Amino acid sequence: MSDDHPMSSLSQQRVVVVADSFPVPRGAVAALLRHSGAADATHEAGTVEAALDALRRADAGMLVTEVDLAGRGDGVHLCREVKRLPRPPRVLMFTGAEDPAVVAACLAGGADGFVHRTATPERLVRAVETLAAGRPVWYLREHCGITELIPRTLRVHGMTEREQEVLGMLLARYSNDEIAAQLHLARQTVKNHVSSVLRKLGVTNRRELLTAQGPSWPRGG
């Protein structure tokens, strides 16, 4: 991500909306960000509608949201909606979901970062500060720890290293020919990798992957 983000004002970057269906974790994250200095002000929301309203009223520079709010996957829908705002905030998905399809949906939905809920408070604060500076942050739980990731270097369970590379390029909307050229592979080899990636994510085609509407959308939380 470029540092030339629409929300370039420090005061706007310091205003954060925290969206979570449960008030206790929502309040805890908001308090953590205020007390650490990562946010000058926070607003809390439990639904997509409340979050959109808070973002508009506060002219906030960042949204921290769960994948599931009032319904399954509506946090990703919220991400898509806020990215259409005239002054879109950065979006950090802070969730207990870890299925590769959820991660792919967050990426395709325009999220700027992803932090698994097993992250330490310090790591969450650091992620918010990093996003505010215009750099993407991707922390996924891997076995017993957290691995720092960026969209083009995903590490997801059950995929080979090559398939992870292909997934990253699919999410960046590369064609098969472009993937083949970038990775120096035969086109048929790329087609085989793409088919394997889509199958492992539980989607049948690129459109399902990029619109986050695959048939096996898992429950987050």
Side-chain angles (χ1 to χ4, degrees), residues 13-208:
Q13 289 176 347
R14 292 293 188 178
V15 179
V16 179
V17 172
V18 180
D20 194 300
S21 58
F22 296 102
V24 172
R26 184 172 71 224
V29 170
L32 170 67
L33 297 181
R34 287 195 310 272
H35 294 160
S36 67
D40 292 334
T42 58
H43 301 266
E44 299 176 36
T47 65
V48 168
E49 294 75 17
L52 285 169
D53 182 61
L55 286 163
R56 293 187 180 107
R57 284 188 294 102
D59 195 19
M62 188 177 298
L63 167 69
V64 178
T65 182
E66 243 294 0
V67 166
D68 295 338
L69 296 172
R72 176 178 275 189
D74 55 358
V76 177
H77 172 70
L78 171 61
C79 178
R80 292 180 183 277
E81 289 296 309
V82 304
K83 288 301 181 179
R84 297 189 183 105
L85 294 175
R87 296 165 63 83
R90 295 180 174 91
V91 178
L92 174 65
M93 310 302 293
F94 181 53
T95 177
E98 57 186 328
D99 189 284
V102 173
V103 181
C106 293
L107 279 164
D112 302 287
F114 185 107
V115 174
H116 193 269
R117 281 188 182 271
T118 51
T120 63
E122 294 78 13
R123 178 154 280 172
L124 175 60
V125 167
R126 194 160 63 246
V128 168
E129 293 173 338
T130 299
L131 276 187
R135 299 189 300 276
V137 177
W138 295 84
Y139 293 107
L140 300 186
R141 185 169 71 172
E142 186 172 23
H143 305 298
C144 298
I146 295 289
T147 301
E148 184 174 4
L149 308 170
I150 59 175
R152 293 289 298 279
T153 56
L154 284 171
R155 294 187 181 91
V156 292
H157 179 69
M159 285 192 188
T160 66
E161 184 176 347
R162 181 64 83 189
E163 287 171 344
Q164 293 160 20
E165 289 181 303
V166 170
L167 172 57
M169 299 180 83
L170 286 174
L171 293 168
R173 291 173 168 78
Y174 278 58
S175 68
N176 282 1
D177 287 340
E178 289 170 329
I179 295 173
Q182 185 78 16
L183 300 181
H184 307 290
L185 297 173
R187 193 173 190 277
Q188 184 58 50
T189 301
V190 171
K191 288 180 65 176
N192 293 341
H193 284 313
V194 169
S195 296
S196 179
V197 167
L198 296 178
R199 184 181 68 254
K200 289 179 179 180
L201 291 177
V203 297
T204 58
N205 53 50
R206 290 172 185 249
R207 184 175 183 276
E208 285 185 356

